[in-house]
């Protein structure tokens, strides 16, 4: 089993960055979902409210990122280390996170893209943003602006099986591309749905070790075409028919990062396309 592709999402809800290599941090891959768009009340905005975010390309770099979208001039931003300190929530049910505001220039750019008031904020210190639930021994509780765990892994063979179901059903929506599931790591060489057997197990990929936290329950964002922003009914209809387990529509595996105080330095913990995926227990 090997890593087939790596993806990060610099601004939560925006278009992906395809990566050859990524550094593994306690809260996920470097540059992944450290920025968030919020409304005037400090609540996160995503593709649920604004499907046009699929056209917003954010390219991260050390010390900042560049925003680009059709009809707007690219905007280069530095990490707002001296920005206004505010509290925001990714979702209503999540505790507030301490962040820094990107500033008026970024906000004006987003206002033009979304047609509403919005602010861009940056999570400068993920160590202060902890998941509000118990975590297993040996893994960290730090989190970026990800939904529930630092990373999501998907399996090419599971997607092939899923698309076979769509073909057999006569659906006009298939085949779906993997990116519609917005993964961080995509593995090839595994059996279909093998990732469901990795829950609770340690998994070595490149220079880091992860733990399978849970299979990933899917929401309406999975029905949004990540190239056009058009919404369909798949994959949720087929997952409801074939992968409805415990009232969750499952595709992919949520991962946490193993804490390694005596292991490689942060700079040495990387994952790359082509890395072997090894189950350790």
């Amino acid at each position: 089993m090997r890593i087939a592709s790596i993806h990060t999402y610099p601004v939560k809800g925006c278009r992906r960055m395809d990566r050859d290599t990524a550094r593994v941090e306690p809260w996920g891959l470097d540059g992944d979902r450290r920025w968030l768009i919020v409304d005037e009340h400090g609540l996160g905005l995503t593709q649920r409210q604004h499907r046009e975010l699929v056209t917003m390309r954010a390219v991260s770099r050390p010390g900042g990122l560049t925003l680009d979208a059709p009809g707007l001039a690219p905007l280069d931003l530095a990490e707002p280390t001296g920005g206004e300190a505010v509290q925001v929530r990714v979702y209503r049910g999540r505790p507030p996170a301490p962040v820094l505001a990107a500033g008026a220039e970024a906000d004006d750019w987003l206002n033009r893209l979304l047609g509403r008031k919005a602010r861009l904020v940056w999570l400068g210190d993920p160590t202060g943003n902890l998941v509000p639930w118990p975590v297993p021994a040996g893994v960290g509780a730090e989190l970026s602006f990800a939904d529930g765990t630092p990373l999501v892994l998907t399996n090419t063979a599971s997607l092939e099986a899923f698309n076979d179901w769509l073909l057999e059903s006569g659906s006009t929506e298939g085949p779906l591309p993997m990116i519609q599931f917005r993964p961080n790591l995509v593995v090839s060489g595994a059996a279909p749905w093998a990732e469901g057997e990795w829950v609770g197990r340690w998994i070595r990929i490149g220079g880091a070790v992860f733990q399978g936290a849970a299979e990933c329950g899917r929401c309406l964002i999975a029905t949004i075409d990540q190239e056009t922003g058009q919404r369909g009914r798949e994959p949720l209809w087929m997952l409801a028919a074939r992968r409805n387990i415990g009232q969750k529509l499952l595709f992919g595996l949520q991962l946490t990062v193993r804490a390694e105080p005596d292991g490689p330095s942060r700079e040495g913990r990387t994952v790359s396309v082509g890395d072997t995926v090894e189950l350790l227990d």
Side-chain angles (χ1 to χ4, degrees), residues 4 72 103 107 122 124 126 136 159 163 173 190 202 218 238 240 267:
L72 294 175
D107 298 346
W122 176 63
L159 180 64
N163 281 327
E173 293 191 31
W202 296 110
R218 294 297 169 168
M238 185 57 68
E267 289 72 19

Side-chain angles (χ1 to χ4, degrees), residues 23-30 32 34 125-131 135 138-144 146 148-151 208-211 255-261 264-267 269:
R23 189 174 67 251
V24 179
E25 298 173 326
W27 42 85
L29 302 183
D30 71 282
D32 187 41
R34 293 284 295 277
D125 181 15
T127 61
N129 187 40
L130 304 180
V131 296
V135 298
V139 302
E142 302 98 332
L143 192 65
S144 66
T149 57
L151 301 95
V209 176
F210 305 90
Q211 187 178 58
L255 296 177
T256 52
V257 181
R258 184 164 79 178
E260 298 188 46
S265 68
R266 182 177 298 172
E267 289 72 19
R269 299 171 66 185

Side-chain angles (χ1 to χ4, degrees), residues 14-16 53-59 66-69 109:
C14 77
R15 194 176 180 89
R16 71 193 180 275
L53 287 176
V54 303
T55 69
M56 176 178 151
R57 188 182 302 274
V59 178
T66 299
L67 304 180
D68 198 4
W109 193 93

Side-chain angles (χ1 to χ4, degrees), residues 91-261:
Y91 300 118
R92 292 188 187 279
R94 285 275 285 273
V99 298
L100 297 172
E105 187 178 18
D107 298 346
D108 290 344
W109 193 93
L110 288 173
N111 294 346
R112 293 196 299 275
L113 174 67
L114 303 178
R116 61 171 294 173
K117 289 184 177 181
R119 301 185 77 185
L120 183 65
V121 299
W122 176 63
L123 184 63
D125 181 15
T127 61
N129 187 40
L130 304 180
V131 296
W133 48 78
V135 298
V139 302
E142 302 98 332
L143 192 65
S144 66
F145 288 128
D147 286 356
T149 57
L151 301 95
V152 170
L153 176 148
T154 57
N155 175 1
T156 59
S158 298
L159 180 64
E160 290 169 5
F162 175 87
N163 281 327
D164 285 344
W165 292 341
L166 285 183
L167 182 63
E168 293 167 4
S169 74
S171 172
T172 60
E173 293 191 31
L176 295 187
M178 186 66 85
I179 202 60
Q180 193 144 332
F181 296 93
R182 294 177 67 84
N184 294 113
L185 302 175
V186 180
V187 63
S188 62
W193 313 114
E195 64 275 21
E197 302 171 4
W198 303 349
V199 175
R201 303 182 68 180
W202 296 110
I203 308 160
R204 183 183 299 281
I205 305 173
V209 176
F210 305 90
Q211 187 178 58
E215 291 188 83
C216 188
R218 294 297 169 168
C219 66
L220 283 174
I221 287 180
T223 66
I224 299 173
D225 187 309
Q226 293 299 301
E227 299 297 334
T228 68
Q230 295 298 309
R231 179 176 289 166
R233 67 179 191 177
E234 298 295 354
L236 295 190
W237 279 48
M238 185 57 68
L239 291 177
R242 298 290 193 107
R243 294 280 296 163
N244 187 348
I245 302 172
Q247 297 186 325
K248 292 184 178 181
L249 311 184
L250 302 181
F251 189 95
L253 179 69
Q254 294 180 291
L255 296 177
T256 52
V257 181
R258 184 164 79 178
E260 298 188 46

